[in-house]
Amino acid sequence: MEELHKAAKVAFASEFSFYLKAHNFHWNIVGPDFLEYHDLFGKIYEEVYESIDPFAEKIRALGTYVPASLGRFSMLSQIDDETQILSQDAMLVELAEDNEKMVRLLKMVYDSAEQFGEHGFSNFLAERMDAHRKHGWMLKASLKNG
Ligand SMILES: [Fe+2]
């Protein structure tokens, strides 16, 4: 159970970092396709943000505490912080790669939750994977070279 707790915290910190990066890109995008990508990043950050509170509460229900500070997030997150202002294409590529990372990470925690018989949590994780697959589709379909 300890390893499930640990993996869940890593996935949660990564999900929060992913949310923040999508919001960052929504704010800071510059380029000829501004409105299109401002809206795409907007849709993504809103969807991910809405998952944050239920995600945290599922972790609490597993019987452990939730990382909830910038220091803990940066310690645990597998999504690298972006401190530069990227071009619109670089933003799409980076968020698409981070999104793939999220799908893999969520799958790992899903497998662990199943192993421990935590089916309520694994159902939630399956929904998160599904949502990220949709984000991945939209991000990749927006890339110039697919
Ligand atoms: Fe906005």
Side-chain angles (χ1 to χ4, degrees), residues 30-89:
V30 172
D33 304 312
F34 168 84
L35 199 56
E36 192 183 324
Y37 295 146
H38 176 74
D39 286 350
L40 174 62
F41 294 138
K43 266 194 197 123
I44 293 173
Y45 93 71
E46 279 174 6
E47 190 285 325
V48 177
Y49 184 73
E50 280 195 13
S51 78
I52 294 297
D53 187 57
F55 203 156
E57 293 182 356
K58 292 266 182 214
I59 292 175
R60 289 293 291 125
L62 289 179
T64 188
Y65 288 100
V66 180
S69 69
L70 295 178
R72 288 283 287 147
F73 284 151
S74 68
M75 231 181 281
L76 294 169
S77 174
Q78 294 199 356
I79 302 298
D80 291 335
D81 211 17
E82 185 51 76
T83 56
Q84 307 295 311
I85 302 296
L86 305 178
S87 70
Q88 63 171 37
D89 289 350

